[in-house]
Amino acid sequence: MKRVLLGLALLAIGFGCGAAVALTARSQARQRTVHSTTTTVEVVNGTREAGRTPAPIPTLLDGSTDPHGLVVSAAIPIDANLDSADYVEQKPRQLIVAWDRAHLTRDGQAAIWWRRGMAIWQLDRGNAARWHRVYTYETLVNNQVGVEGFGLSLGDVSGDGRPEVLVFFDTDGSAGGGTYHLFANSGYRIRQPLVKDLALDQGTITFGHKALVVLEGVDYRGPGIHCCYRKVRETWLRWDNRHLVTVRRIVRKNRRGWPPG
């Protein structure tokens, strides 16, 4: 009988120790500190639907001198859905956002009105954490006019280490139509030194090494309406903080077919 009681006692002690170890492990797990770094702390749930009248576009942002620290949803109309957000971290710092918004029919199957837009926000000069829009574009989307989307890229065209902003206003169509807009700064003043209509059938504009590279098809040979060119005009442009300067231009064989390149 004593041996049975001793065995039960040891079993109870073992179980108690196991429970204590488990509780300790759980307690330590709860107290564990996880260090992580994020650039986006905002969570957006679901999509937004606009009312009968479009909400106004915000005019002021504040709260941080770092564009990553801004509440991105505050940079677009309250009834809009965010499509993209890009950041220029060098001074003057910028936040570039694109959005779309629509007022739908009651069954949600069609839009009574539909808009797409983009804006460039820039931190004010000085130490205050205030941002204002320095460029804004919004357009209706319908069967006659409108922009299907904004293709945005960043690259250094001046060689100063601060990126410029290139946006392709995509108007779609079988030719891949659209207009390129280059946004560059002279100090805190934003400029558009290049606005160029160029469909994908005709060529492309991209960033090269400290330059903007424009590729345009020349010497069209067919056979279809969308293809092709025998040669390509390649132009390299650089921003000198006042003008776009041509630093190189050649005409060469089209090595890519479509789009010309």
Side-chain angles (χ1 to χ4, degrees):
M1 183 65 180
K2 291 182 179 179
R3 289 180 180 177
V4 172
L5 292 176
L6 179 60
L8 291 173
L10 290 175
L11 181 61
I13 293 172
F15 176 80
C17 291
V21 170
L23 290 172
T24 302
R26 289 179 188 144
S27 176
Q28 289 175 348
R30 290 194 194 101
Q31 296 175 0
R32 185 178 58 184
T33 301
V34 178
H35 298 280
S36 62
T37 302
T38 62
T39 57
T40 303
V41 296
E42 180 182 6
V43 177
V44 179
N45 293 320
T47 58
R48 300 176 180 178
E49 181 181 339
R52 293 183 178 181
T53 304
I57 301 173
T59 58
L60 176 68
L61 292 176
D62 55 21
S64 176
T65 58
D66 181 352
H68 294 278
L70 296 172
V71 178
V72 180
S73 62
I76 64 174
I78 194 170
D79 58 354
N81 296 291
L82 179 70
D83 292 333
S84 65
D86 293 87
Y87 308 87
V88 175
E89 299 176 348
Q90 297 86 345
K91 294 181 179 179
R93 295 171 179 169
Q94 293 172 338
L95 167 67
I96 307 101
V97 290
W99 66 83
D100 69 89
R101 50 180 171 163
H103 176 49
L104 303 178
T105 55
R106 183 171 297 180
D107 60 6
Q109 300 301 309
I112 297 174
W113 61 258
W114 185 10
R115 292 172 178 257
R116 279 198 176 96
M118 65 157 290
I120 300 177
W121 292 86
Q122 184 169 286
L123 180 65
D124 290 352
R125 191 191 303 265
N127 295 322
R130 289 193 304 268
W131 301 69
H132 285 89
R133 283 185 283 113
V134 291
Y135 177 83
T136 308
Y137 177 89
E138 188 177 57
T139 181
L140 281 169
V141 180
N142 54 41
N143 292 332
Q144 286 75 41
V145 297
V147 174
E148 294 297 316
F150 301 95
L152 190 143
S153 55
L154 303 176
D156 184 9
V157 179
S158 61
D160 63 357
R162 182 189 182 278
E164 279 69 49
V165 180
L166 180 66
V167 184
F168 181 64
F169 288 49
D170 183 1
T171 54
D172 202 15
S174 61
T179 305
Y180 288 90
H181 294 249
L182 177 68
F183 298 93
N185 274 71
S186 292
Y188 276 77
R189 180 182 177 186
I190 195 165
R191 296 188 176 183
Q192 282 191 79
L194 181 138
V195 178
K196 185 175 180 63
D197 293 330
L198 189 65
L200 284 175
D201 278 3
Q202 301 168 315
T204 56
I205 301 178
T206 57
F207 288 110
H209 179 63
K210 298 181 181 179
L212 194 69
V213 182
V214 182
L215 300 178
E216 299 174 89
V218 294
D219 191 11
Y220 175 78
R221 65 176 175 82
I225 61 173
H226 299 303
C227 188
C228 292
Y229 294 91
R230 290 186 176 90
K231 298 178 181 179
V232 171
R233 181 188 300 115
E234 181 178 324
T235 306
W236 288 57
L237 303 169
R238 186 162 294 163
W239 174 243
D240 68 358
N241 293 317
R242 293 180 301 173
H243 307 95
L244 271 180
V245 179
T246 300
V247 294
R248 181 187 181 192
R249 176 173 288 164
I250 61 172
V251 176
R252 56 171 175 78
K253 181 180 179 180
N254 182 12
R255 298 189 293 260
R256 189 166 56 190
W258 186 95

